[in-house]
Amino acid sequence: MSLYTPNSFRWDDRAAVAALIDAHPFALLLTVTDGCEPAVTHLPLLRDGDCLVGHMARANPHWQQFAAGRTLAVFQGPHAYVSPRWYVEPAEQVPTWNFAAVHLSGRIEVLTPTEAGEAVRVLTRRFDPGFVPAPGRVEQLLGGIVAFRLHIERVEAKNKMNQNKTAADRAGVIAGLRATGRPEDAAVAAWMQGHD
């Protein structure tokens, strides 16, 4: 499960990779087991040291493949279409897509009920810090979920943001992205300026 990454787009800045995961925690979790169709779940995952922590519905058969399979978490940062019109010489260019992505693979550990309760509380505090569940409510729901920790063994990151272009071409792409008026395009323009 390798991420195709030409040298110009290879991303070794671990602090920036961590920041992308923190800013865009909704991931695609993929487990591949020999002879089986891949299991895929979309869910939030939070960093915890050299691990990711999350949970899924117990009714989701995905978790049953953890022990026998290889698991990959895919995070995607800002992304946008890039028009050839935004380059200095448009006729010499082709349309492309700028994006930042992180692939983390490793071994899954299913958490105990106590650890699962804490994982749910941490997730809730992260996304809804003012919410306080009714006493005992989290414990009532734990039977319906499987919480887990992905122990990260491999990190692959790609930051494809026109690094292989001239400064003038990059400036043209940033201006073009800003001119569309789309928030996602503005996010890519800001990313390009902050991650040279």
Side-chain angles (χ1 to χ4, degrees):
M1 293 189 273
S2 283
L3 175 63
Y4 170 66
T5 309
N7 285 336
S8 55
F9 304 134
R10 211 173 94 217
W11 197 21
D12 295 323
D13 183 342
R14 293 297 176 233
V17 166
L20 180 142
I21 293 167
D22 292 346
H24 302 276
F26 195 70
L28 179 137
L29 191 72
L30 172 72
T31 302
V32 177
T33 305
D34 291 340
C36 295
E37 189 170 317
V40 180
T41 301
H42 298 263
L43 72 174
L45 295 172
L46 298 181
R47 287 186 317 108
D48 181 20
D50 290 336
C51 298
L52 298 172
V53 176
H55 68 273
M56 63 180 61
R58 186 169 293 282
N60 182 344
H62 184 161
W63 72 270
Q64 296 171 2
Q65 293 187 24
F66 286 162
R70 295 178 311 276
T71 299
L72 171 73
V74 177
F75 295 87
Q76 186 170 300
H79 60 92
Y81 171 76
V82 175
S83 172
R85 294 178 292 114
W86 299 338
Y87 294 113
V88 174
E89 295 184 32
E92 301 298 319
Q93 304 296 330
V94 296
T96 192
W97 205 272
N98 278 2
F99 67 94
V102 176
H103 290 193
L104 304 173
S105 56
R107 176 181 52 81
I108 294 278
E109 168 194 6
V110 174
L111 301 180
T112 67
T114 300
E115 293 170 321
E118 183 55 24
V120 170
R121 287 180 187 89
V122 168
L123 188 73
T124 302
R125 283 193 301 267
R126 165 75 196 284
F127 296 107
D128 197 357
F131 176 73
V132 178
R137 182 63 177 148
V138 170
E139 288 69 24
Q140 288 175 338
L141 299 174
L142 290 179
I145 69 165
V146 174
F148 59 90
R149 182 176 291 115
L150 187 150
H151 295 269
I152 300 167
E153 297 170 350
R154 184 174 177 183
V155 177
E156 295 179 291
K158 185 173 185 176
N159 184 35
K160 182 188 172 296
M161 296 284 180
N162 290 122
Q163 299 94 316
N164 59 338
K165 301 295 183 186
T166 66
D169 280 338
R170 286 177 54 79
V173 169
I174 290 168
L177 288 165
R178 286 196 175 126
T180 70
R182 291 188 294 266
E184 60 272 20
D185 292 353
V188 171
W191 183 277
M192 288 177 69
Q193 285 195 303
H195 294 87
D196 285 341

